[in-house]
Amino acid sequence: MASSSSSGLTFKLHPLVIVNISDHYTRIKSQSLPPSTTPHAPSASNVADAESSSPPQQSPRVFGCVIGVQRGRTVEIFNSFELLFDPLTHSLDRAFLEKKQELYKKVFPNFYILGWYSTGSDAQESDMLIHRALIFVRSGYTIETVEAERISIDHVAHLKPSDGGSAATQLAAHLTGIHSAIKMLNSRIRGLNHYLLAMQKGDVPVENSLLRQVSSLLRRLPAIESEKFQDDFLMEYNDTLLISYLAMFTNCSSTMNELVDKFNTAYDRQSRRGGRSAFI
């Protein structure tokens, strides 16, 4: 997928924007569906008449703003928020837009509104009423993520319904997701390590930009090498081991109880048969 456009800009799109737009479109589409009010099953003729008389449902269009930063010719889109749009007058709620912009500036002072989005196959003439100065061009983009976003997206992809499965099943799925994220992080660190070793040996050319990024990443590591962090980490680790041991003891106790119950049942039956024979 190309990362540059005809305007000469490079676009980097974070997954959170895609999730927000997908959620926005799904909610609006589900709300636009007519409710089912028929209490009994309709006949085939009624269904045919209803399908022929009712117009086809058109996919609703949703609108929103994208926010992020622009560094030179690189535009990085981090987040988005929806807009209140009136399809009859083709106008936006300016007060709502200004309120959302003010709230986002308080939380993310470095983020700016870079543009707006709408769903659909192509731009329409009515879109120019929303933003007359906007020039529509086809732009390629690349998906840019950080580790926290990858873990969150993986968690959402494997999220199970709250009413489905037992607590043990949901815990196993959660731990499996964490294991996959750690495994992915380990593989990326190994790949970076091999690349740096090859660069040191002269097998690959030296990239100063990559070395600066690695150096910036390594400078963050000593921040967690503190006595308080070690104490908190060891306490958390010991608590996890204690919970694992308690679960193991509980499982063993349950198995022993089942064995004792089976033994008592078998012994009681044998003693009863022996008592009847002695009485006879």
Side-chain angles (χ1 to χ4, degrees):
M1 181 181 296
S3 60
S4 59
S5 65
S6 58
S7 61
L9 298 176
T10 300
F11 294 88
K12 295 182 179 180
L13 184 64
H14 285 250
L16 181 59
V17 181
I18 302 177
V19 174
N20 288 343
I21 297 176
S22 176
D23 175 73
H24 186 193
Y25 176 79
T26 303
R27 284 189 289 105
I28 297 300
K29 185 175 182 179
S30 62
Q31 293 171 4
S32 63
L33 294 177
S36 178
T37 58
T38 304
H40 54 81
S43 61
S45 59
N46 293 336
V47 172
D49 295 339
E51 291 180 352
S52 60
S53 60
S54 61
Q57 291 287 338
Q58 294 183 353
S59 299
R61 299 189 66 199
V62 297
F63 300 85
C65 282
V66 293
I67 59 175
V69 295
Q70 180 174 358
R71 304 180 183 92
R73 308 296 295 176
T74 301
V75 178
E76 191 166 2
I77 304 173
F78 288 92
N79 205 342
S80 65
F81 60 88
E82 58 190 73
L83 295 175
L84 298 181
F85 176 73
D86 188 355
L88 299 179
T89 60
H90 299 287
S91 60
L92 294 174
D93 190 341
R94 294 290 304 178
F96 178 80
L97 173 60
E98 294 174 357
K99 184 64 175 179
K100 295 288 290 186
Q101 184 179 4
E102 180 183 357
L103 294 177
Y104 267 94
K105 288 297 294 182
K106 291 181 179 179
V107 182
F108 305 103
N110 297 326
F111 287 3
Y112 296 91
I113 295 181
L114 302 176
W116 60 279
Y117 68 84
S118 65
T119 57
S121 59
D122 203 353
Q124 301 181 5
E125 295 182 359
S126 59
D127 295 340
M128 300 304 296
L129 299 176
I130 302 176
H131 195 176
R132 295 180 180 275
L134 187 62
I135 300 176
F136 293 95
V137 294
R138 292 187 177 273
S139 300
Y141 60 90
T142 57
I143 302 298
E144 186 76 11
T145 64
V146 296
E147 192 65 29
E149 289 177 327
R150 284 192 290 270
I151 295 175
S152 301
I153 294 299
D154 183 74
H155 176 70
V156 172
H158 296 85
L159 191 63
K160 296 182 179 297
S162 59
D163 57 347
S166 60
T169 304
Q170 296 181 5
L171 177 60
H174 176 67
L175 295 178
T176 302
I178 296 179
H179 177 265
S180 301
I182 296 176
K183 186 177 180 180
M184 181 187 300
L185 178 61
N186 184 36
S187 63
R188 292 178 180 273
I189 293 177
R190 287 181 178 273
L192 183 60
N193 183 34
H194 293 332
Y195 185 80
L196 293 177
L197 291 177
M199 186 183 298
Q200 185 180 12
K201 296 178 181 178
D203 297 337
V204 295
V206 177
E207 293 188 17
N208 293 325
S209 60
L210 178 62
L211 293 177
R212 285 194 294 268
Q213 293 180 11
V214 174
S215 178
S216 176
L217 178 62
L218 293 178
R219 281 197 297 268
R220 301 178 185 177
L221 296 180
I224 64 175
E225 294 294 337
S226 62
E227 184 177 357
K228 185 178 184 303
F229 173 78
Q230 292 295 336
D231 294 341
D232 294 342
F233 176 77
L234 291 177
M235 183 179 298
E236 189 76 18
Y237 181 70
N238 292 332
D239 292 343
T240 304
L241 290 180
L242 180 60
I243 294 175
S244 301
Y245 293 153
L246 289 176
M248 187 183 302
F249 291 152
T250 303
N251 191 17
C252 291
S253 299
S254 177
T255 305
M256 290 295 296
N257 288 334
E258 292 179 359
L259 180 60
V260 171
D261 291 340
K262 292 179 181 179
F263 178 79
N264 290 336
T265 302
Y267 182 78
D268 183 61
R269 289 178 180 176
Q270 190 175 25
S271 62
R272 287 182 179 179
R273 288 198 297 268
R276 287 196 298 269
S277 59
F279 177 78
I280 293 173

